[in-house]
Amino acid sequence: MFGQIFAALVSGIATGMPLFIVASGLTLIYGVMRVLNFAHGAFFMIGAFLFYNVLGGVTGSISLLIVGLLIAALSVGAIGAVSEVAVFRRLYARDHTTTLLASYALLLTLDGLVQQIWGVSPRSQTQLPAFAGSFQILGVRVATYDVVLIGVGAVLAIGLTLLLQRTSFGQTTRAVAHDQTMARALGLHARGVQLAVFALGAALAGLAGGLISPLLSIDPSLAPTFVVQSFAIVIVGGLGSMGGALIAALLIGLLDSFAVTFFPGFAGFSLYIAVTLVLLLRPQGIFGAAFASREA
Amino acid sequence: MKKLWIPITGVVLLTLSGCSAGSSTGSSADSTITIGMIAPTQGAYAEIGKNITDGFQVAIDEVNANGGVAGGKQLAMATKDEGSSPQTATQAARDFTSNGVNLLGGLFSSADCAGVDPVVEQSPAILVTASCASDTLTGGISGTSPFKRTFGVAVRDQANAQALAEVMAQKFPNVTNYDAFGFDYSWGHETWQTYRDGLTAADVAVQVNSEQFVPLSASDFHSQVAAISGGLTGPVASRGIFLATFGAGTSGFLKQAQAYDLPSQVALIANSGEYYNVARSLNGQAPDVWNSYDYNWAAFNTTMNTQFVTDYGKIANGAKPVGWTYQGYLIGLSYAAAINKAGSGDPEAVRTALEGVSFDAPSGSLTMGAASHQLSVPSVISHTVGDSTSSDGVKVIETQVVPYSGK
Amino acid sequence: MTTQLEQRGQNLATGKTTSAKARWRIPATLEVAAVWIVVGVIGPGLFTGSTLFLATTALIFVLFAMSTNVLLGWTGITSFGQAAFFGAGAYTVGLLAPIALPPLIQLFVGAAVGAILAMIFSLVANRVTGVEFAMLTLVFGESISLLLYRIPALGGESGLPGIPRGAIFGTSLFSDKTFWWYAIAITGVLAIVIRRLRGSTFGASLTAVRDNPLRASALGINVKLSRIVAFTVAGLLAGVAGALYAQLQGIASPDIMSWTVSGEVIIMCLIGGMHTYWGPAIGAVIFTVANWALSNSTSSPELYFGLGLLVIVLVLPEGLLGLVPMISKRMTRRQKVLS
């Protein structure tokens, strides 16, 4: 029994951390611009495809892996920047339904584009030998790559929090999130901040795509895979709160893994039950508003 | 606002009439017979759709090169998107019959067939389906097809699982501790049930450790893999994993299982459903898997099979045909044989001719059951492992053909 | 744009239109009836073969889009779960198929199931609004669609096939032409009901809730109750549309419950324009036809569909019908210049 609980605990964290990595960019964008971006899934998918293209399916060394991740993140960041200028910038003043739909339209467009560029055959990214395989702790088998992902997720969470709380960029960003007009009146370059935040959020999706690609079949059906879960994490975590998103992702991962281990019949429902309970009992999300907002 | 309805009616009617105007392209010049293929051309199953239509294309190219059908007529293919719902699939079937194309083929999803079969039943068309092999759609078990105008070339799902159980009971009588992982719908549950019952019938004392079922659209199986990995019991030689999945489900599971070294901790991974395309996509890293489906290119040592593999390789960059390609190919061969027998492409004549028609195929002679409307295709058990030195990254270690049981 | 909307809402809320309403009420109903009769009569002549079937599909989506717009356009509620109510109607018909009830009774039961489901949901979810509410609807819709796989009687991936169309007043609905007339009658009656609702005080109160919940509340409108009623009405109409859809298709399948369908019906409202009566209808027709035409003419319909949608969202915030006032304004300006 203890073994099973410990195993479920480990696998829950290992399930949740990739979710956080995917959702972190979405949280950032939502926190500053109040945009829930369906196209985030497409950004993720393009990251996976680009990573595959750079490495040709085989991961030779850690340095190559890092190059691949950088290229995936930077290129997707650039796509994010372009879509901010071309689409989202024009919609910040509009209601959230319009923005949601614009992002859905962007998802369709990018999805179609990916099919045009990469075709319809599924691809597979081979794991770096150093990260392949597993080891045992206290009788529980743990995948090496899960530990890598947990590490990356932790670094991202801390890094992003520091970026937002301790740097001047973070200060400006929070000011813009709080009150755009006021920020502009104070001489802050609101547009530039929005562009930078959107590009950073998209780059995080690209990075996630590259990081998680060795565990998935890379094909055009990948785009919607994490979208619903990521939305749930952003909402459950609370408006743009990085810590909230991390806790929400881990919570969802843990619920899923405990459900799978002990109540298989509930497996698919655990996410929905969690979201419903949090929204009904604490509509502002676990952590409430990280960026106090003018009007939610 | 008041007078708005006039322009609106205009717009509605114009938009709709635009589509009726564009759709009256007749097809049948006297020297060609067109068969309308419905298969997914976009989205998650687009590759499967391409396999089906490519297989069909190879068949009609071969037939045409050998002088055509019914006294020198050529076969031609038209395609429409099956989409991702019965609605798009039935619309495609209706569009074909409206345009005078009444010989139909294809369809990948059983749900789509469940929608299309009754529509075809009320139309002048006939349909030969590709991979709709659930028992409610075919006459495989009762012996009589529920639909007079629909035929099938795929091995029944249950027959494939049953064949796999028989062979695995023989080869791995000591594997009794099973974990099952499958798609959470009737196909997944029934396939696993059939396999389990098949093992039990063959005197294997099956013990089920866990059953994990996931939605068709899922691709993250972390929790399931971890739960299976954490719950393994007994000696390695007694452990088996059964996969009732295909496509991204199988490849996602295997990749995540490899991260947990799961394949090396079990004696057997068995899978019922198309697998070769998955093995191929894994870059030579596919684990050792026993699979049961309608076809493996290495299973048949016949000239016709060699011809099929070569001809398909020409249009597919040297790739090997998979089960879905084979189904498309068999649709082409079935139609060619039936049209020859009927002497024309008249749907009613072809329908009658299809009942009981026999023809040569890569696996030997096949017969379309006169009442079951089911082609007598054998199941192929194949044992494969990833091999980065081979051209498509897969080494076929062993194959075994289990004949059509004809129930 | 917002000021324009507010103005319109204000007019409705303050009853500035009441004098006009007395004059307009009957013509508005007639207008809807006339469109349905014209389309109904011309339809079978204009559309032959499979296009009549496509037109019937479009007609059902017109009703579905109109029902969704009660939330989206009238009340300002975004729901990503409308497919659940549409699907509930369809599955009700699928489950009732063995008893062979008359088609109209099936529609009533489908409507009731859609309405009850929607009412229960909105009673529970009423605590939150905005994006959080949208998220709850998404979660609700996905949970319901997951149930299709967990309850064996609902058929899982294969759905409930083999639904007969039945007969109405002794006439079989089997042929596509009779079914067209049946669908025209049902959707026409409901379209008139929706038109009347829109012009009623209930419609005005929803608009007031949309534009400014605080002010609406100050005016004595029970905001929560209005939202619940709007949600129930939308669920009821979506249930009818779903039931009709199952009768047309002969199958209730799980794909109609997916969140993408909920997204698509919102897109229909948006394409046509959600702040006009006719917008959702136009949007549904264009969406259905474009989807059908693109999937048969290009290898990547998603790309063109997505691009088209982006253009509409960016350039025409009020949808295609937003073009009408824009053009007429430009024309009057030109007339003034000419005179």
Side-chain angles (χ1 to χ4, degrees):
Chain A
M1 189 67 183
F2 165 77
Q4 264 187 314
I5 293 179
F6 183 61
L9 207 65
V10 173
S11 113
I13 296 171
T15 308
M17 211 44 128
L19 292 180
F20 167 72
I21 299 176
V22 181
S24 62
L26 202 65
T27 303
L28 191 66
I29 294 173
Y30 185 66
V32 179
M33 273 90 78
R34 300 287 177 278
V35 171
L36 267 182
N37 181 13
F38 273 117
H40 203 71
F43 291 161
F44 172 85
M45 172 171 71
I46 294 173
F49 269 105
L50 283 172
F51 184 69
Y52 170 87
N53 258 34
V54 172
L55 302 182
V58 186
T59 314
S61 66
I62 293 200
S63 49
L64 257 178
L65 177 111
I66 292 172
V67 170
L69 287 177
L70 277 179
I71 292 179
L74 290 176
S75 322
V76 176
I79 297 172
V82 170
S83 51
E84 201 270 347
V85 174
V87 180
F88 293 101
R89 170 165 300 180
R90 297 155 199 272
L91 299 174
Y92 291 145
R94 304 257 292 271
D95 61 307
H96 60 89
T97 312
T98 315
T99 323
L100 260 176
L101 285 183
S103 77
Y104 187 72
L106 190 63
L107 170 76
L108 289 178
T109 311
L110 292 175
D111 226 19
L113 217 57
V114 164
Q115 278 195 48
Q116 288 288 302
I117 297 173
W118 281 284
V120 293
S121 304
R123 290 166 171 78
S124 165
Q125 177 65 39
T126 305
Q127 188 61 272
L128 183 71
F131 293 157
S134 62
F135 57 91
Q136 281 193 309
I137 319 176
L138 299 174
V140 171
R141 194 161 283 279
V142 179
T144 315
Y145 198 58
D146 283 351
V147 178
V148 175
L149 288 181
I150 291 172
V152 172
V155 168
L156 269 182
I158 296 168
L160 286 170
T161 309
L162 288 179
L163 178 74
L164 289 173
Q165 303 296 336
R166 296 268 187 274
T167 63
S168 63
F169 171 75
Q171 260 176 356
T172 322
T173 306
R174 279 180 296 142
V176 171
H178 181 69
D179 189 333
Q180 222 191 95
T181 330
M182 185 61 85
R184 209 168 276 146
L186 288 171
L188 298 173
H189 190 29
R191 289 228 154 142
V193 170
Q194 287 167 335
L195 181 64
V197 167
F198 210 97
L200 180 60
L204 286 170
L207 179 75
L211 271 174
I212 302 171
S213 64
L215 297 174
L216 300 168
S217 165
I218 308 170
D219 60 53
S221 65
L222 209 55
T225 303
F226 291 104
V227 167
V228 173
Q229 279 161 314
S230 301
F231 275 26
I233 288 165
V234 171
I235 301 284
V236 168
L239 269 180
S241 158
M242 228 19 105
L246 179 64
I247 289 183
L250 293 180
L251 190 74
I252 284 169
L254 284 169
L255 268 174
D256 190 49
S257 102
F258 274 91
V260 163
T261 311
F262 298 106
F263 313 99
F266 278 102
F269 289 105
S270 52
L271 170 76
Y272 305 137
I273 295 171
V275 174
T276 309
L277 286 180
V278 169
L279 281 181
L280 289 180
L281 301 176
R282 207 179 145 74
Q284 70 273 42
I286 296 176
F287 268 42
F291 313 106
S293 61
R294 206 174 10 155
E295 219 270 58
Chain B
M1 193 64 202
K2 203 176 172 183
K3 291 275 158 55
L4 207 54
W5 66 272
I6 299 173
I8 288 165
T9 320
V11 170
V12 174
L13 293 178
L14 277 178
T15 332
L16 279 170
S17 65
C19 56
S20 59
S23 59
S24 51
T25 43
S27 57
S28 51
D30 276 349
S31 56
T32 44
I33 297 172
T34 302
I35 294 158
M37 292 291 283
I38 305 168
T41 59
Q42 45 161 324
Y45 303 120
E47 197 203 21
I48 298 174
K50 181 142 178 53
N51 283 325
I52 294 173
T53 48
D54 279 353
F56 182 82
Q57 187 68 51
V58 170
I60 61 172
D61 284 349
E62 286 179 3
V63 167
N64 289 339
N66 287 328
V69 288
K73 286 181 182 138
Q74 299 278 295
L75 290 176
M77 170 172 76
T79 55
K80 278 190 191 294
D81 186 16
E82 177 175 340
S84 51
S85 72
Q87 190 251 319
T88 36
T90 43
Q91 185 71 46
R94 285 168 188 273
D95 287 346
F96 269 134
T97 51
S98 287
N99 295 347
V101 177
N102 283 319
L103 306 179
L104 308 179
L107 292 172
F108 151 72
S109 128
S110 284
D112 295 350
C113 284
V116 173
D117 289 0
V119 170
V120 168
E121 201 67 0
Q122 301 152 14
S123 76
I126 58 172
L127 169 68
V128 182
T129 61
S131 39
C132 301
S134 90
D135 275 337
T136 48
L137 297 169
T138 65
I141 267 197
S142 64
T144 312
S145 167
F147 299 104
K148 284 197 181 65
R149 313 191 70 84
T150 302
F151 298 78
V153 299
V155 180
R156 286 189 313 113
D157 298 329
Q158 263 74 331
N160 274 330
Q162 174 65 30
L164 186 62
E166 282 164 18
V167 176
M168 291 304 101
Q170 222 172 55
K171 300 215 181 242
F172 297 90
N174 297 324
V175 174
T176 50
N177 273 328
Y178 270 95
D179 286 284
F181 175 81
F183 285 138
D184 194 3
Y185 71 99
S186 54
W187 177 80
H189 291 275
E190 282 165 20
T191 302
W192 163 232
Q193 189 64 43
T194 310
Y195 180 75
R196 203 170 129 179
D197 292 349
L199 286 180
T200 312
D203 292 328
V204 177
V206 184
Q207 272 190 315
V208 182
N209 268 341
S210 73
E211 293 173 329
Q212 308 287 352
F213 288 97
V214 296
L216 199 49
S217 59
S219 54
D220 182 9
F221 311 124
H222 226 119
S223 304
Q224 286 81 7
V225 170
I228 291 175
S229 161
L232 290 172
T233 52
V236 172
S238 73
R239 296 172 185 163
I241 294 177
F242 181 79
L243 302 178
T245 53
F246 56 81
T250 308
S251 60
F253 179 86
L254 290 178
K255 288 176 78 83
Q256 287 160 38
Q258 280 173 327
Y260 275 81
D261 286 323
L262 206 48
S264 63
Q265 297 168 65
V266 296
L268 164 68
I269 299 177
N271 165 235
S272 187
E274 168 56 40
Y275 172 69
Y276 196 82
N277 66 332
V278 171
R280 192 164 57 190
S281 77
L282 293 175
N283 302 336
Q285 305 288 313
D288 195 293
V289 170
W290 287 85
N291 168 265
S292 174
Y293 202 55
D294 299 25
Y295 182 74
N296 182 287
W297 64 272
F300 304 108
N301 192 13
T302 59
T303 44
M304 202 165 171
N305 189 47
T306 318
Q307 185 71 38
F308 170 51
V309 174
T310 319
D311 288 347
Y312 176 71
K314 279 181 208 152
I315 62 167
N317 275 329
K320 298 286 193 292
V322 301
W324 288 309
T325 331
Y326 190 62
Q327 289 163 353
Y329 186 69
L330 290 181
I331 294 174
L333 294 187
S334 304
Y335 265 123
I339 293 169
N340 268 330
K341 190 173 152 194
S344 82
D346 171 63
E348 204 45 47
V350 176
R351 188 186 74 79
T352 321
L354 269 170
E355 293 184 339
V357 73
S358 289
F359 54 89
D360 280 331
S363 65
S365 178
L366 296 176
T367 305
M368 181 68 81
S372 70
H373 286 198
Q374 183 74 17
L375 197 62
S376 60
V377 181
S379 294
V380 177
I381 311 295
S382 50
H383 180 200
T384 57
V385 68
D387 172 17
S388 44
T389 59
S390 113
S391 68
D392 51 6
V394 186
K395 185 164 83 186
V396 182
I397 300 169
E398 185 185 347
T399 60
Q400 190 171 332
V401 178
V402 179
Y404 178 69
S405 66
K407 269 192 284 189
Chain C
M1 186 205 85
T2 16
T3 49
Q4 247 181 31
L5 285 180
E6 264 167 19
Q7 190 104 41
R8 200 182 303 162
Q10 233 165 3
N11 288 346
L12 279 169
T14 52
K16 209 171 163 186
T17 47
T18 34
S19 60
K21 214 164 66 183
R23 198 152 37 87
W24 275 38
R25 180 175 280 167
I26 295 166
T29 310
L30 276 182
E31 178 185 295
V32 178
V35 170
W36 248 264
I37 290 169
V38 169
V39 172
V41 170
I42 296 180
L46 197 60
F47 317 125
T48 50
S50 63
T51 46
L52 185 62
F53 183 78
L54 183 73
T56 318
T57 308
L59 200 58
I60 294 170
F61 279 124
V62 165
L63 178 61
F64 187 26
M66 281 180 155
S67 81
T68 305
N69 203 46
V70 170
L71 299 176
L72 197 65
W74 300 12
T75 327
I77 296 176
T78 311
S79 165
F80 266 92
Q82 291 313 102
F85 311 115
F86 184 75
Y91 272 83
T92 303
V93 169
L95 288 172
L96 291 176
I99 333 177
L101 289 173
L104 278 178
I105 305 291
Q106 289 180 350
L107 293 190
F108 274 112
V109 184
V113 171
I116 291 168
L117 208 59
M119 189 169 72
I120 294 173
F121 172 78
S122 63
L123 280 172
V124 175
N126 208 18
R127 286 173 55 96
V128 295
T129 53
V131 181
E132 284 78 15
F133 185 85
M135 192 68 214
L136 268 188
T137 56
L138 178 67
V139 163
F140 171 76
E142 287 293 278
S143 310
I144 296 279
S145 85
L146 202 55
L147 281 180
L148 301 181
Y149 295 91
R150 292 297 160 83
I151 301 174
L154 296 177
E157 186 70 14
S158 328
L160 303 173
I163 299 169
R165 286 184 183 174
I168 187 164
F169 306 129
T171 312
S172 164
L173 296 175
F174 179 73
S175 97
D176 283 350
K177 212 175 263 187
T178 45
F179 196 90
W180 165 261
W181 283 110
Y182 166 70
I184 278 284
I186 303 290
T187 53
V189 167
L190 290 174
I192 291 168
V193 170
I194 293 171
R195 184 66 188 86
R196 299 288 293 251
L197 269 181
R198 194 170 190 264
S200 70
T201 40
F202 168 66
S205 70
L206 294 187
T207 316
V209 168
R210 175 195 73 195
D211 291 338
N212 193 332
L214 285 178
R215 194 164 55 202
S217 174
L219 285 170
I221 297 170
N222 186 334
V223 173
K224 279 199 170 181
L225 185 68
S226 302
R227 284 202 172 117
I228 292 172
V229 174
F231 210 85
T232 311
V233 168
L236 182 144
L237 294 169
V240 178
L244 264 179
Y245 189 75
Q247 291 174 342
L248 172 72
Q249 299 288 342
I251 182 171
S253 55
D255 55 274
I256 55 171
M257 284 238 193
S258 130
W259 64 268
T260 49
V261 173
S262 300
E264 282 168 1
V265 73
I266 296 181
I267 289 173
M268 293 175 195
C269 299
L270 193 93
I271 291 178
M274 59 177 119
H275 295 117
T276 54
Y277 172 79
W278 290 106
I282 301 279
V285 171
I286 291 176
F287 183 96
T288 314
V289 173
N291 223 353
W292 172 82
L294 280 175
S295 73
N296 280 313
S297 54
T298 74
S299 62
S300 92
E302 278 185 320
L303 177 61
Y304 300 104
F305 205 88
L307 280 176
L309 197 58
L310 269 180
V311 169
I312 292 179
V313 172
L314 291 173
V315 181
L316 299 170
E318 283 299 305
L320 287 175
L321 280 192
L323 275 174
V324 177
M326 262 159 79
I327 292 169
S328 65
K329 203 180 281 173
R330 203 160 287 174
M331 280 183 22
T332 37
R333 200 181 302 149
R334 182 179 290 175
Q335 267 170 359
K336 269 182 198 154
V337 171
L338 282 175
S339 62

